[in-house]
Amino acid sequence: MSGIRPTGFLHLGNYFGAVQNYVRMQDEYECYFMVADLHSLTTHPDTHLLKQHAIRVLCEYIACGLDPEKVALYCQSHVPETAELYLFLNMLAYVGELEKTPTFKEKVRAQPDNVNAGLLTYPVLQAADILLHRAALVPVGKDQEQHLEMARNYVNRFTHRYGPVFPEPRAFNFGEELVKVPSLDGSGKMSKSENQLATIYLNDDDELIRTKIRKARTDSGSGAAGSGAGGAGDPGASKPESVANLFLLMKLVSPASTLQKFEADYQAGTIRYGDLKKELGEDMVKFIAPIRERAVGIRADEAYVRRVMEQGAAKARSSAKVTLQEAKEAMGLNYYA
Ligand code: AMP
């Protein structure tokens, strides 16, 4: 089970941190993937834009390879059972620990005039989404590790107080490690809202992709043996962050042989960053363009999108109802049983 907030366009971080794993999981597991529209209400989105973004995320899921016949693809707000479980879990979540959550502290800094209670209990709502389907594996990026830890705490508290209903969920990635896709300005991660020129969106057109990569920060040197990295004659030096980030992106979208060539140039101190960026730009266009084009085609078929949403919500609700029934029985809320 996993989800993405419809707060803007999906980007390369969402793809490699989350959606790529969703797609790989769909053949092996029973999966629930949703558009986290309730979560996005914490930042009071424009009503009209919310609708557009929610539909867009759903279409981009399908464009990335999710099959609505195999997985439940739905909008969070179409599964009202989420709110009921959220309420139960709120009784097991402590204000002190919620206030210490780094993502909450970040939001308080970013929007001091809108520190609403939904923001504080954001991780509880997330736990409700996951536990509603008793999901064990949650494909997310590295930035979500702490929230998963909190969900496990709620499971343990619930089990201790009422008995075993929920498994402990954990973050999941098919690779060795959770992924963090860095931004192109050499600091932080790609994101829906911050520094849009430093983030590659699945919706970007070819020219924009090339421009963003061309403008990405690099280094003034010519590799490990040049002046930029660890200084002249220092082939073992680690790469400056901005350069390492470009190599990471290349690893994600380019053929292995391309990566090897530029790695060798870097080590020899003969690398030309202009060439690297040109190659990376072309490989990025090849990667993004088919997804973008498929998403446009899917969005044009409104009846299909609506059918997918309704079918996904029906699947998710039937799983949610069974879980809620068991949770309520465990909590002693089944008065006529
Ligand atoms: P959000 O965009 O915050 O709703 O996040 C949706 C999913 O994308 C979560 O699983 C995040 O962990 C993942 N994600 C967002 N940004 C990145 C990034 N730059 N690198 C890796 N994963 C990311």
Side-chain angles (χ1 to χ4, degrees), residues 21-326:
N21 283 304
Y22 302 0
V23 174
R24 291 186 60 182
M25 288 177 96
Q26 69 181 342
D27 292 316
E28 285 178 47
Y29 300 94
E30 179 188 340
C31 297
Y32 296 86
F33 297 123
M34 54 103 178
V35 180
D37 51 359
L38 297 177
H39 278 287
S40 67
L41 296 180
T42 53
T43 47
H44 299 167
D46 172 277
T47 317
H48 182 65
L49 273 183
L50 173 65
K51 182 176 171 184
Q52 281 186 10
H53 284 318
I55 289 174
R56 176 172 277 131
V57 172
L58 195 95
C59 296
E60 285 178 336
Y61 275 163
I62 301 169
C64 289
L66 281 180
D67 179 351
E69 298 304 320
K70 289 186 188 156
V71 306
L73 267 190
Y74 59 100
C75 285
Q76 189 183 25
S77 63
H78 293 170
V79 183
E81 289 77 9
T82 312
E84 201 172 349
L85 185 57
Y86 169 58
L87 184 145
F88 297 157
L89 296 178
N90 265 318
M91 312 303 171
L92 302 170
Y94 294 102
V95 173
E97 65 190 11
L98 289 167
E99 281 172 340
K100 278 194 232 128
T101 315
T103 43
F104 175 68
K105 292 207 256 180
E106 232 173 82
K107 284 281 184 220
V108 172
R109 265 197 303 277
Q111 50 180 69
D113 298 331
N114 179 23
V115 185
N116 59 66
L119 217 46
L120 183 69
T121 55
Y122 189 106
V124 188
L125 181 56
Q126 204 174 33
D129 296 325
I130 298 165
L131 302 184
L132 206 48
H133 306 298
R134 286 185 274 196
L137 305 179
V138 186
V140 282
K142 196 164 174 50
D143 54 342
Q144 291 295 322
E145 259 176 327
Q146 164 126 33
H147 288 177
L148 263 292
E149 171 89 48
M150 295 170 83
R152 284 192 291 277
N153 286 341
Y154 306 146
V155 167
N156 288 326
R157 286 173 200 159
F158 189 99
T159 305
H160 182 69
R161 196 164 285 277
Y162 304 118
V165 172
F166 305 108
E168 279 188 33
R170 66 177 172 86
F172 177 79
N173 186 300
F174 273 97
E176 296 285 293
E177 285 176 14
L178 298 184
V179 176
K180 175 183 146 187
V181 178
S183 78
L184 294 169
D185 59 8
S187 67
K189 57 168 188 161
M190 285 196 184
S191 94
K192 293 206 207 81
S193 44
E194 285 148 41
N195 196 355
Q196 308 207 339
L197 268 180
T199 293
I200 307 258
Y201 296 93
L202 301 185
N203 183 51
D204 284 348
D205 66 39
D206 295 353
E207 246 349 271
L208 186 56
I209 295 171
R210 291 189 184 104
T211 306
K212 283 181 179 178
I213 303 261
R214 195 169 55 241
K215 293 195 167 159
R217 271 195 52 200
T218 47
D219 172 51
S220 53
S222 50
S227 58
D234 186 8
S238 61
K239 298 182 180 89
E241 198 178 355
S242 54
V243 173
N245 288 350
L246 287 180
F247 272 94
L248 196 151
L249 292 177
M250 189 165 248
K251 191 170 167 201
L252 293 173
V253 299
S254 299
S257 55
T258 307
L259 182 68
Q260 274 159 16
K261 175 204 168 319
F262 284 102
E263 190 65 60
D265 288 353
Y266 182 84
Q267 293 307 336
T270 55
I271 194 162
R272 288 160 52 152
Y273 291 118
D275 292 349
L276 178 143
K277 290 201 233 174
K278 195 152 192 282
E279 184 64 47
L280 179 60
E282 292 314 312
D283 291 340
M284 193 64 81
V285 165
K286 275 190 215 137
F287 181 81
I288 300 274
I291 298 178
R292 181 187 65 226
E293 283 156 19
R294 276 197 301 273
V296 170
I298 294 162
R299 269 187 81 190
D301 189 349
E302 282 178 29
Y304 169 74
V305 175
R306 186 181 174 149
R307 224 171 31 247
V308 167
M309 259 189 199
E310 286 173 353
Q311 176 182 315
K315 267 195 225 172
R317 289 196 74 183
S318 68
S319 146
K321 282 189 180 129
V322 177
T323 308
L324 263 187
Q325 185 60 30
E326 269 195 43

